[in-house]
Amino acid sequence: MKLIRTEDAKGCILCHDITQIIKDEKKGPVFRKGHVVTEEDIPVLLSVGKEHLYVWEKEEGMLHEDEGAEILRKICQGGSAEEAAFDGVEKTFRYMKATEAKEGKIELISDVDGLFKVNSDALRAVNRFGQMMIATRHGNTEVKAGDKLAGTRIIPLVIEEKKMQDVEKAAMELTGGEPVLKILPFQKKKAAVVTTGSEVYKGRIRDTFTPVLLEKLSKYDVEIIGHKVCDDDHEMVTMTIQHFLEQGADIVLCTGGMSVDPDDRTPLAIKNTGADIVTYGAPVLPGAMFMLAYTKEKKAILGLPGCVMYAKRTIFDIVLPRILADDEIAQEELADLGEGGLCLGCPVCTYPNCGFGK
């Protein structure tokens, strides 16, 4: 940083904000730190009483905050500055848009509807370096085109080039060279619903579960290819599931019959399809009696507990975006949902794992 005459500042980078005060009109920065002074700026600077300025002096081995911010963008989004198409306002790459670096800040915005993924280990590693930060929304959650995904910031005006090289290397080692953030676009799916329960099958009560599912699925590019009501007969349920799979269903949703009561046979029916059981039970409330299985073709079979019918957010809302994005779910990942898996019924939902606590 050095002090120079304002008349000599053309092309220099400001090291501090310049405030302008106009009575009854304005009080605020007329130029922000990091601004590159132009010939036209000099009269304005003189008019606010700035005859001398502190400007950034390029030093070997040091980067300006905006140069550092570009490295954070690359860590998050992937792609070099050349690979990320720049239209003068935003860099678009891998379904994300990145705003132009300004004051060491860049924001990432979703370009599509899809599933947002975060490499948490790499994110923590970056934020532990100091003098820089990346803040994101929760990973494994649904995003829509235009949603803000993350904000990055270089804290000081200048930062050591070696430090930025070290953080980029550390992130790459933890991600295998992949970006820290990803979006998996939602795919078009075919789904079928199998309603179980003698009370519905025999007409004693009306099926109020299926309409809830149809409403949730209607928000996505999902075609419903079938619906059948079954008695509490595990062989009947198994045959129905297999029929829908043969008809081309990518997802089969089985409602009811998920508890440990003697008449609840849906878990057995799903098991008897021959699909690989990922879990029967999840550390999420509401939604503990949840079942997930995949066929060898990676088609998903879900056993949905009764809470999905009446609770606003459940385990189903957590896993559905991942299934629609072809993001296979492992048992260990479901186990991790225990932290943040308790819904407190807040008036404004802050249920972290459901993706709506933003």
Side-chain angles (χ1 to χ4, degrees), residues 151-188:
T152 73
R153 179 72 189 257
I154 299 296
I155 307 302
L157 178 63
V158 295
I159 192 166
E160 294 176 17
E161 184 175 12
K162 174 67 163 53
K163 188 165 193 173
M164 296 308 302
Q165 291 171 345
D166 288 345
V167 74
E168 186 173 15
K169 179 181 177 182
M172 289 184 67
E173 288 176 350
L174 289 166
T175 64
E178 291 293 311
V180 172
L181 309 181
K182 291 182 182 180
I183 292 182
L184 305 180
F186 290 141
Q187 304 298 312
K188 181 176 178 61

Side-chain angles (χ1 to χ4, degrees), residues 89-241:
V89 180
E90 297 170 329
K91 290 188 175 80
T92 303
F93 192 70
R94 293 191 178 181
Y95 310 113
M96 297 182 207
K97 295 178 179 178
T99 59
E100 188 174 7
K102 184 177 181 181
E103 299 173 20
K105 295 183 289 187
I106 290 178
E107 291 184 344
L108 290 165
I109 299 163
S110 179
D111 203 33
V112 296
D113 294 354
L115 179 75
F116 181 53
K117 303 285 292 183
V118 179
N119 187 310
S120 301
D121 291 339
L123 179 65
R124 283 191 291 267
V126 171
N127 286 328
R128 285 171 181 161
F129 265 77
Q131 295 187 300
M132 65 191 77
M133 55 76 68
I134 301 171
T136 77
R137 62 172 60 204
H138 282 286
N140 284 335
T141 55
E142 175 184 350
V143 294
K144 295 187 178 298
D147 282 352
K148 188 183 296 185
L149 306 173
T152 73
R153 179 72 189 257
I154 299 296
I155 307 302
L157 178 63
V158 295
I159 192 166
E160 294 176 17
E161 184 175 12
K162 174 67 163 53
K163 188 165 193 173
M164 296 308 302
Q165 291 171 345
D166 288 345
V167 74
E168 186 173 15
K169 179 181 177 182
M172 289 184 67
E173 288 176 350
L174 289 166
T175 64
E178 291 293 311
V180 172
L181 309 181
K182 291 182 182 180
I183 292 182
L184 305 180
F186 290 141
Q187 304 298 312
K188 181 176 178 61
K189 296 292 182 183
K190 294 181 179 180
V193 179
V194 180
T195 302
T196 68
S198 60
E199 68 277 23
V200 179
Y201 181 74
K202 296 177 180 178
R204 297 187 181 115
I205 66 169
R206 183 168 56 91
D207 175 17
T208 55
F209 206 143
T210 302
V212 172
L213 296 183
L214 296 182
E215 181 181 0
K216 287 180 180 289
L217 294 173
S218 68
K219 300 173 184 177
Y220 306 96
D221 190 7
V222 176
E223 176 188 354
I224 307 300
I225 66 168
H227 171 228
K228 183 174 180 178
V229 181
C230 294
D231 201 355
D232 289 315
D233 177 344
H234 68 86
E235 292 181 350
M236 181 181 185
V237 175
T238 298
M239 289 178 59
T240 303
I241 294 171

